[in-house]
Amino acid sequence: LGIKTNDGYSYNAEILWQNNEYDVAMIYVSDYKKIGSAKLSCDANYVGQSITVTGNPLDTFFAQTWGRVAATGKTGLEAIYGNMWKQLITLDLTAAPGVSGAGIINDSGQVVGILVAGAISQRGNFNYSYAVPAKTICHVMART
């Protein structure tokens, strides 16, 4: 497994843990001190929380999007995906293909979620995206 940073460097990574039910994983990069890391917040998200997402939508490398948490709890995706995502946070930003798996970062630089889906229809995007809350990730990792 490899990762690429926004300064153009590539690093080897190894999957340490994954949870298919929530579609999340933890990776280890041996040179993590060179690229830095962000602390995983185990606090609950709240409506209005300011967030930033960086990803690679449609081969646009490291595009940043800013938004807010629009809702917490049920999203309606439960009917489509069953138990895969029991609880998500709704974000008021659009996430094109290539951004899935991105960390949702708060104003303190902490990871408060992981982007897993975007809302689309036959008419186009709805400008909403969905993330697994970091609090849920902490729970399934038995940190709380």
Side-chain angles (χ1 to χ4, degrees):
L1 175 67
I3 64 163
K4 186 175 182 179
T5 61
N6 61 356
D7 57 7
Y9 292 101
S10 295
Y11 298 91
N12 290 324
E14 146 187 22
I15 297 173
L16 295 179
W17 170 87
Q18 70 183 44
N19 183 295
N20 293 330
E21 182 178 359
Y22 289 94
D23 194 24
V24 296
M26 180 190 313
I27 62 171
Y28 174 75
V29 179
S30 61
D31 292 329
Y32 71 91
K33 290 183 181 180
K34 291 181 183 177
I35 60 175
S37 62
K39 181 180 177 185
L40 181 64
S41 171
C42 293
D43 295 334
N45 300 97
Y46 58 89
V47 173
Q49 182 178 22
S50 182
I51 51 152
T52 303
V53 179
T54 303
N56 303 315
L58 306 172
D59 293 329
T60 303
F61 295 106
F62 301 102
Q64 269 193 338
T65 304
W66 294 267
R68 299 200 183 277
V69 172
T72 59
K74 296 193 177 281
T75 62
L77 293 179
E78 297 87 351
I80 299 168
Y81 295 103
N83 286 332
M84 182 172 177
W85 296 313
K86 296 175 184 171
Q87 188 175 39
L88 298 174
I89 52 176
T90 303
L91 313 173
D92 69 350
L93 54 85
T94 301
V99 184
S100 293
I104 309 301
I105 310 296
N106 68 10
D107 287 341
S108 300
Q110 298 173 315
V111 176
V112 296
I114 297 178
L115 191 81
V116 293
I120 58 171
S121 75
Q122 293 176 344
R123 296 184 220 175
N125 287 345
F126 287 126
N127 297 327
Y128 283 104
S129 300
Y130 303 97
V132 174
K135 183 173 180 150
T136 300
I137 296 164
C138 290
H139 176 72
V140 297
M141 290 175 55
R143 286 185 56 188
T144 59

